[in-house]
């Protein structure tokens, strides 16, 4: 009988079968997708379509290259015909051939232009111009062979220039761009070649160059065609530069006023051409006016130079450069021209200042050579003191005048609010340089030179104290730290400069430092001068640091440095040995430490402390030759450092203080010929243990290895090493007692470091003492005992290893049951 399930059961069975069919269908679809992907990946890739080749040259470019090459080849052929085949024809044939070919070539561009073949027409026109030049050469060879070649070339160049201009301006050929620029190039030769042919000399040669440059300038300013203007500008710059260099050389080498005046006339001509061009143009007006001003200075200065001694050459040129500033005041000049003339004056003044640099450098660096001749005797004058081993620059008598003149110009000329601070800085530097070189140039007595340098140092420091930091120009708002209101957009603003504004205070302080260094080296020839100068410099910089705290980061370290030098000089003057001078030098670190406490968080604190530390190192270096004194100096340095470490922000210096005390102790023990290592290690161990105890009291969680480990190891390890080499019983006994005490303390207080270190040292010390007996016992045992003992040890290790493996397996089984 067939079993028919209830409807609910039958529905459940149908749903189950449908789900099985859906799952099977999903599997088959996934398999099908994988097979399709596999078949597609196995097919060879379809080649991508090749891109069409990219042309490497455009059609117009190819056309121009072909036309240029064709014209060049035809020109070469014409030259070959003229030079080679010319003699094989008669006069009529020659004239007919050259005339006919030239006329045909010059006429050919007309129909080409009508058909729109402009490039071809330009190439043919170029060939025609080349043929006219060959015609001129042929004419000279046939009919005018006796005429001078240079003069004929000049006339031919003028004729060709006129012919080409006429050809380029004809109604039917005016569209060609080549004839007129070619005529302009040819026009550069006539005057120059006529000057050479007439043997006009260098003056005539320069005049021809400048007149040609003037002609080119006029063409560049008046002709509207761009190609002509560009060609004229290039030729004007080239011929003008050549002419100016030639005239300038004549002016510089002129031996009398007459020659200098002729050269000046040429330079004035060049300056006039440049100024006229600057007046008519706007694009290059500043540069042209600048060149005009420089050429004018060269012209007028050359005339003045020819009538004054060599030492006054630079002042004469400088005076001419300063006079240019008067032209700037003329209101009718365009603004660009005025700026160019002002810049030319600045260039002249800058070159004049640059000329003074060798004298300033010798004055600054020359006294350094006295380091090798300390207290050897006062020189005859200040120049002899400065140039002990350095050559004196020639014609330097007018250096102070040049520097002072430029400083005065800066004071009077710089009235702009933006550039005024920079001008003030320049005035400070120039005034300082003037006073610096004045006693050397005038060869004043040695003492007077020292007094002037000292006054210069004091003046620079006074200026640094009196001057205030530069503020923004009027119209530029100055923001403060607590200012939150933004500036209104409509507020007027002054033009700003891309360069940072220099601070006159910093400049004056830097000049004071430079002068003081020169003064200190310059005082080395005599003992009295050295002591007086160093004492004065110490007082000056100390006073500056106290009067103006902003100067303290530089002035206070400088005062300490000069005080250190004064201490060394005082010890040397008193004939003290270096180790005793070191005690005097230690006064500087003491002063630095006290001053640092007073300064607090000031910016000068760190520089003062660094200077004091350097002075302390110098004291240590001076005392190295005497161990007892070195120990005392190290101890005093430790005291100074410990006093500094009392400050909360300098607490890490306590480690340096401890190191200095330890070094002092070691040096003292070495001076006493002490060879016991405990004498060297205990001074380290005791402070280290005290510091460790304090740390454990403040931080009970601190490790005993960190607190006590270094201190205990510092004594126990060296003592153990010494005990192993000591044949006596006293050291091992004392070491054993000490190690036992440390071990008991570690056990009593549950401290790992004392326990392990003390126990290890105690064990090794006991082994050292029992070693002879162990050797005797080993000799008394049978030979089989050591192998047997080794085997027992290995068995014990194996059993232990097996037990550990069994325990691991049990743990793994327990974990498996837990899962």
């Amino acid at each position: 009988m067939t079993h028919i399930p209830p409807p609910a059961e039958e529905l459940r069975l149908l749903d189950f079968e449908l789900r099985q069919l859906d799952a099977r269908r999903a599997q088959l679809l996934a398999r099908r997708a994988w097979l399709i992907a596999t078949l597609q990946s196995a097919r060879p890739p379809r080649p991508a379509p090749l891109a069409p080749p990219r042309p490497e040259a455009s059609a117009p470019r190819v056309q121009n290259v072909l036309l240029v090459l064709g014209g060049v080849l035809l020109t070469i052929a014409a030259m070959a015909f003229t030079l080679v085949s010319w003699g094989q024809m008669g006069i009529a044939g020659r004239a007919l051939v050259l005339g006919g070919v030239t006329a045909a070539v010059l006429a050919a561009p007309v129909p080409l232009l009508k058909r729109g073949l402009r490039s071809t027409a330009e190439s043919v026109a170029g060939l025609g111009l080349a043929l006219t030049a060959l015609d001129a050469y042929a004419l000279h060879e046939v009919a005018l062979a006796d005429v001078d070649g240079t003069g004929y070339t000049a006339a031919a160049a003028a004729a060709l220039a006129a012919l080409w201009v006429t050809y380029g301006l004809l109604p039917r050929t005016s569209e060609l761009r080549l004839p007129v620029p070619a005529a302009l190039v040819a026009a550069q030769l006539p005057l120059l070649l006529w000057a050479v042919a007439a043997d006009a000399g260098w003056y005539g040669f320069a005049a021809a160059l400048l007149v040609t440059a003037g002609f080119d300038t006029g063409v560049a300013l008046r002709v509207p065609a761009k190609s002509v203007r560009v060609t004229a500008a290039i030729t004007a710059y080239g011929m003008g530069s050549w002419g100016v260099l030639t005239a300038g050389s004549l002016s510089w080498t002129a031996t009398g006023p007459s020659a200098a005046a002729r050269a000046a006339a040429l330079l004035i001509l060049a300056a006039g051409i440049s100024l006229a061009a600057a007046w008519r143009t706007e694009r290059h007006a500043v540069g042209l006016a600048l060149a005009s001003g420089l050429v004018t200075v060269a012209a007028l200065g050359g005339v003045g130079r020819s009538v004054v001694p060599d030492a006054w050459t630079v002042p004469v040129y400088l005076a001419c450069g300063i006079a240019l500033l008067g032209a700037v005041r003329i209101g009718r000049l365009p603004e660009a021209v005025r700026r160019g003339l002002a810049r030319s004056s600045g260039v002249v003044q800058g070159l004049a200042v640059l000329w003074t640099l060798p004298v300033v450098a010798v004055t600054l660096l020359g006294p350094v050579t006295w380091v090798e001749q300390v207290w050897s005797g006062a020189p005859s004058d200040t120049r002899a003191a400065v140039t002990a081993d350095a050559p004196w620059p020639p014609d330097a008598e007018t250096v102070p005048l040049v520097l002072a003149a430029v400083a005065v110009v800066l004071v009077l000329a710089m009235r702009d609010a933006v550039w005024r601070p920079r001008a003030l800085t320049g005035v400070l530097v120039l005034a300082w340089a003037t006073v610096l070189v004045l006693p050397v140039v005038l060869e004043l007595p040695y003492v007077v030179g020292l007094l002037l340098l000292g006054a210069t140092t004091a003046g620079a420091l006074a200026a640094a104290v009196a001057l205030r930091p530069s503020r923004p120009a009027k119209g530029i708002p100055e923001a403060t730290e607590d200012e939150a209101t933004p500036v209104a957009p409509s507020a007027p603003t002054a033009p700003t400069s891309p360069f940072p504004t220099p601070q006159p205070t910093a400049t004056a302080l830097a000049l004071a430092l430079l002068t003081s260094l020169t003064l200190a080296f310059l005082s080395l020839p005599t003992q009295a001068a050295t002591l007086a100068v160093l004492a004065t410099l110490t007082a000056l910089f100390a006073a500056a640091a106290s009067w103006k705290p902003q100067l303290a980061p530089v002035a206070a370290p400088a005062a300490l440095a000069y005080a250190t030098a004064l201490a060394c000089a005082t010890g040397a003057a008193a004939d003290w040995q270096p180790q005793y001078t070191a005690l005097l030098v230690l006064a500087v670190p003491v002063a630095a430490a006290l001053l640092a406490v007073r300064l607090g968080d000031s910016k000068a604190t760190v520089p003062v402390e660094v200077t004091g530390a350097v002075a302390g190192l110098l004291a240590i270096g001076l005392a190295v030759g005497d161990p007892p004194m070195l120990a005392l100096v190290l101890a005093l340095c430790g005291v100074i450092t410990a006093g500094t470490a009392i400050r909360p922000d300098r607490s890490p210096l306590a480690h340096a203080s401890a190191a200095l005390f330890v070094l002092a102790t070691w040096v003292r023990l070495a001076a006493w010929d002490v060879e016991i290592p405990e004498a060297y290690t205990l001074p380290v161990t005791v402070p280290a243990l005290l510091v460790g105890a304090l740390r454990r009291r403040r931080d009970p969680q601190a490790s005993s290895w960190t607190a006590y480990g270094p201190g205990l190891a510092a004594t126990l390890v060296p003592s153990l090493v010494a005990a192993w080499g000591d044949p006596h019983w006293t050291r091992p006994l004392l070491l054993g007692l000490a190690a036992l005490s440390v071990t008991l303390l570690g056990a009593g207080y549950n401290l790992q470091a004392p326990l392990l270190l003390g126990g290890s040292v105690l064990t090794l010390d006991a082994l050292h003492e029992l070693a002879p007996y162990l050797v005797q016992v080993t000799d008394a045992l049978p030979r089989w005992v050591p192998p047997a003992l080794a085997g027992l040890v290995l068995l014990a290790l194996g059993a232990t290893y097996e037990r550990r493996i069994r325990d691991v397996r049990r743990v793994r089984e327990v974990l498996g049951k837990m899962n």
Side-chain angles (χ1 to χ4, degrees):
M1 294 180 64
T2 303
H3 175 69
I4 300 175
E9 180 67 18
E10 185 177 2
L11 180 61
R12 185 183 65 80
L13 293 175
L14 290 176
D15 291 338
F16 176 75
E17 292 294 337
L18 290 175
R19 284 196 298 271
Q20 293 292 332
L21 290 175
D22 291 338
R24 182 58 178 169
R25 186 174 184 276
Q27 291 178 359
L28 293 176
L29 290 175
R31 181 63 177 177
R32 181 178 181 276
W34 180 82
L35 291 173
I36 292 174
T38 304
L39 292 175
Q40 290 179 351
S41 62
R43 294 177 182 176
R46 179 178 299 177
L50 296 177
R54 176 179 156 183
E56 297 183 358
S58 61
R61 184 173 299 177
V62 173
Q63 165 193 307
N64 294 333
V65 171
L66 293 177
L67 292 175
V68 171
L69 288 177
V72 170
L73 291 177
L74 289 175
T75 304
I76 294 174
M79 292 175 61
F81 169 77
T82 304
L83 298 176
V84 177
S85 301
W86 181 257
Q88 301 176 1
M89 303 177 65
I91 296 178
R94 299 171 188 175
L96 181 62
V97 170
L98 276 179
V101 171
T102 303
V105 172
L106 291 177
V110 176
L112 292 174
L113 289 174
K114 289 182 178 180
R115 298 191 178 189
L117 302 176
R118 185 186 185 89
S119 298
T120 306
E122 294 284 355
S123 299
V124 175
L127 176 59
L129 300 181
L131 287 175
T132 56
L134 291 176
D135 291 341
Y137 169 76
L139 179 61
H140 178 268
E141 292 296 323
V142 172
L144 303 174
D146 296 333
V147 178
D148 178 60
T150 305
Y152 177 79
T153 305
L160 288 175
L163 176 63
W164 293 349
V165 167
T166 304
Y167 178 73
L169 297 179
L170 292 175
R172 296 184 179 182
T173 58
S174 58
E175 297 181 12
L176 296 175
R177 291 177 294 182
L178 182 60
V180 177
L184 186 60
V185 173
Q188 309 303 307
L189 299 177
L191 289 178
L192 188 62
L193 294 177
W194 277 331
V196 174
D199 197 12
W202 286 107
Y203 289 93
F205 185 78
L209 289 171
L210 293 176
V211 171
T212 305
F215 169 74
D216 296 335
T217 303
V219 173
L221 293 176
R222 292 182 177 276
V223 176
K226 183 178 180 181
S227 60
V228 179
R229 285 190 290 108
V230 171
T231 305
I234 294 174
T235 54
Y237 279 118
M239 302 298 283
S241 301
W242 193 2
V244 167
L245 291 176
T246 304
S249 176
L250 293 173
S251 176
W252 184 255
T253 57
T255 57
S258 176
R262 285 184 289 168
L266 295 174
L267 291 173
I268 292 297
L269 174 60
I273 295 172
S274 181
L275 184 61
W279 202 300
R280 292 293 302 273
T281 186
E282 297 180 358
R283 186 174 182 181
H284 304 287
V286 176
L288 291 171
L290 171 63
S292 176
L294 293 177
V295 173
T296 303
V297 171
L300 301 179
V303 176
R305 182 197 62 81
S306 63
V307 296
V308 298
D310 292 340
W312 289 87
T313 299
V314 175
V316 167
Y317 282 102
L318 177 61
C320 297
I322 295 174
L324 280 179
L325 294 177
V328 177
R329 303 292 181 183
I330 300 177
R332 297 177 59 184
L333 290 176
E335 180 63 25
V337 175
R338 295 172 60 187
R339 288 203 308 268
L341 293 177
R343 292 180 183 181
S344 63
S345 177
V347 170
V348 174
Q349 296 178 59
L351 292 175
V353 173
L354 188 64
W355 172 74
T356 65
L357 290 183
V359 177
V360 177
V362 170
T363 305
L364 281 175
L365 304 178
V368 177
T369 57
W370 286 104
V371 173
E372 301 176 354
Q373 309 173 36
V374 177
W375 297 352
S376 58
S380 58
D381 53 52
T382 308
R383 184 180 296 185
V386 169
T387 59
D389 290 330
W392 180 250
D395 302 328
E397 293 81 1
T398 56
V399 167
L401 177 62
V402 170
L403 294 170
V406 177
V408 172
V409 170
L410 282 178
V411 171
L412 298 177
M414 288 297 179
R415 302 182 181 277
D416 185 77
V418 176
W419 292 98
R420 188 69 179 177
R422 295 171 177 81
L424 179 59
T425 302
V427 169
L428 285 176
V429 175
L430 292 171
W432 165 78
T434 303
V435 179
L436 182 69
V437 302
L438 187 62
V440 184
V441 172
L442 297 179
E443 297 183 86
L444 297 180
Y446 173 67
V447 177
V448 176
L450 290 179
L451 293 176
L452 284 178
L453 287 178
T456 303
T457 305
L461 285 175
V465 172
L467 290 173
R468 295 181 179 180
S470 299
R471 293 184 178 181
K474 185 177 180 180
I476 301 177
E478 180 180 4
T480 58
E481 294 182 358
D482 54 350
E483 184 178 5
T485 304
V487 181
S490 59
T493 58
T496 59
S497 172
F499 303 102
T501 302
Q503 295 294 336
T505 301
T507 303
L509 183 58
L511 296 178
L513 281 175
L514 285 176
T515 312
S516 65
L517 289 173
T518 301
L519 178 60
F521 285 114
L522 198 62
S523 67
L524 294 178
T526 63
Q527 175 179 316
T530 303
L531 295 176
V533 165
L534 292 177
T536 303
L537 292 178
T538 302
L540 285 176
F541 281 96
S546 61
W547 287 339
K548 192 169 186 178
Q550 290 83 355
L551 304 180
V554 177
L560 293 175
Y562 284 122
T564 304
L566 178 62
C568 295
T570 302
D575 292 330
W576 289 358
Q577 295 181 358
Q579 61 268 24
Y580 299 108
T581 304
L583 296 177
L584 189 60
V585 173
L586 283 179
V588 176
V590 173
L594 296 176
L595 181 60
V597 174
R598 179 181 177 183
L599 292 173
D601 295 334
S602 172
K603 294 181 180 180
T605 304
V606 173
V608 165
E609 291 177 341
V610 171
T611 307
V614 172
L617 292 176
L618 176 61
I620 293 173
L622 292 173
V624 166
D626 188 355
M629 188 60 66
L630 177 60
L632 177 59
V633 171
L634 288 171
L636 293 177
C637 290
V639 172
I640 298 171
T641 308
T644 305
I646 295 176
R647 295 164 51 193
D649 56 339
R650 294 293 185 268
S651 57
L653 291 178
H655 302 287
S657 175
L660 289 171
F661 283 126
V662 170
L663 288 175
T665 305
W666 286 356
V667 172
R668 183 73 261 183
L669 292 174
W672 285 337
D673 295 330
V674 175
E675 299 180 356
I676 302 174
E678 287 78 11
Y680 295 90
T681 57
L682 286 176
V684 179
T685 296
V686 174
L689 292 178
L690 291 177
V691 172
L694 292 175
R695 181 173 182 181
R696 288 275 297 180
R697 178 176 296 180
R698 295 179 181 178
D699 184 12
Q701 302 298 324
S703 173
S704 62
W705 288 102
T706 304
Y708 304 117
L712 293 175
T715 294
L716 292 178
V717 174
S719 298
L720 179 62
V721 174
W724 273 75
D726 193 347
H728 305 287
W729 59 272
T730 306
R731 182 187 299 276
L733 177 60
L734 295 177
L735 178 61
L737 293 176
L740 178 61
S741 302
V742 171
T743 303
L744 294 177
L745 288 174
Y749 288 96
N750 297 325
L751 298 177
Q752 189 180 55
L755 180 63
L756 294 181
L757 284 175
S760 301
V761 172
L762 179 61
T763 302
L764 294 175
D765 185 63
L767 288 175
H768 173 265
E769 293 301 310
L770 296 177
Y773 302 102
L774 294 176
V775 171
Q776 293 178 3
V777 172
T778 303
D779 293 338
L781 291 175
R783 296 293 182 90
W784 57 267
V785 173
L789 292 176
L792 290 176
V793 171
L794 293 176
L795 288 176
L797 291 176
T800 303
Y801 188 76
E802 183 180 5
R803 186 171 63 253
R804 295 291 183 269
I805 293 176
R806 184 185 59 191
D807 294 340
V808 170
R809 289 176 178 174
R810 289 179 178 176
V811 171
R812 186 174 60 187
E813 291 176 358
V814 171
L815 293 176
K817 292 179 180 179
M818 291 175 63
N819 190 23

